[in-house]
């Protein structure tokens, strides 16, 4: 188990032999299997992170990931990446109909898939960006379009029918 201190100096973070995160507080209390939880995972992923015990108690609040040492930040980002699932849509291949509900065939950063769009209200623009979108499928999976302007012409044409 290797410990890495934060720049804030009030806790240490490491992995145990099973790969779980271990938190050691400023008071020396050890908590195994802690979970990092982003306050704003999509709108401000670098701001606001809570380190939560297995009992659901907040052990520490991290205002900004960038304020941590590179080693602690790497541990937390690795753990967050294993838990967060927001595939990015790279291409819209086809849609079944231009009214809702409609079935979309898309290519994501995780491979091809189908999603069902129940209504136009399931497409939302990200705050602070006119080109980033979140699309919620009928199954509740959130897909991200990081930059509408970067999509190919065919994908833009299909998507514009729903915006």
């Amino acid at each position: 188990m290797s410990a890495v201190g934060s720049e804030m100096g009030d806790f240490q973070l490491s992995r145990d032999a099973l790969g779980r995160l271990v938190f050691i507080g400023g008071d020396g209390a050890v908590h195994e299997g802690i979970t990092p939880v982003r306050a704003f995972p999509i709108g401000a992923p670098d701001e606001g992170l809570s380190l939560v015990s297995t009992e659901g108690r907040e052990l520490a609040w991290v205002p900004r990931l960038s304020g941590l040492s590179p080693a602690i930040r790497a541990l937390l980002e690795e753990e967050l990446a294993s838990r967060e699932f927001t595939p990015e849509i790279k291409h819209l291949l086809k849609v079944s109909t231009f009214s809702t509900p409609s079935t979309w065939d898309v290519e994501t950063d995780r491979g091809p898939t189908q999603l069902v769009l129940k209504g136009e209200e399931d497409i939302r623009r990200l705050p602070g960006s006119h080109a980033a979108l979140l699309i919620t499928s009928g199954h509740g999976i959130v897909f991200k379009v990081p930059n509408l302007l970067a999509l190919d012409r065919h994908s833009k044409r299909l998507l514009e029918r729903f915006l």
Side-chain angles (χ1 to χ4, degrees):
M1 175 163 92
S2 63
V4 196
S6 78
E7 285 181 9
M8 294 180 285
D10 54 357
F11 69 88
Q12 293 181 345
L13 196 61
S14 62
R15 286 203 184 272
D16 65 11
L18 299 174
R20 298 177 303 174
L21 286 179
V22 177
F23 174 92
I24 302 172
D27 61 356
V30 176
H31 300 272
E32 296 178 349
I34 65 120
T35 304
V37 179
R38 291 186 205 262
F40 308 103
I42 296 171
D46 186 51
E47 297 176 18
L49 180 79
S50 180
L51 301 178
V52 181
S53 72
T54 56
E55 296 84 28
R57 267 190 32 247
E58 182 176 280
L59 301 171
W61 174 256
V62 178
R64 295 189 65 78
L65 275 173
S66 60
L68 297 172
S69 69
I72 280 208
R73 187 171 57 245
L75 278 174
L76 290 172
E77 287 175 344
E78 179 181 292
E79 187 70 19
L80 288 163
S82 73
R83 298 180 55 241
E84 296 174 343
F85 182 72
T86 306
E88 290 186 10
I89 294 177
K90 300 296 185 186
H91 304 286
L92 275 78
L93 305 172
K94 69 178 186 175
V95 296
S96 63
T97 179
F98 290 111
S99 60
T100 54
S102 67
T103 302
W104 294 19
D105 290 320
V106 298
E107 181 73 34
T108 72
D109 61 338
R110 314 234 178 169
T113 193
Q114 267 191 349
L115 67 98
V116 175
L117 184 71
K118 292 190 299 186
E120 283 91 4
E121 64 274 4
D122 291 330
I123 301 175
R124 298 183 322 270
R125 293 192 187 276
L126 278 176
S129 169
H130 68 281
L133 304 172
L134 293 180
I135 301 170
T136 305
S137 75
H139 296 292
I141 297 173
V142 178
F143 293 83
K144 184 175 182 179
V145 177
N147 186 356
L148 175 63
L149 305 174
L151 291 175
D152 61 276
R153 178 185 277 182
H154 176 72
S155 297
K156 283 187 222 176
R157 261 192 255 149
L158 292 176
L159 194 52
E160 284 172 357
R161 297 278 197 111
F162 293 92
L163 295 175

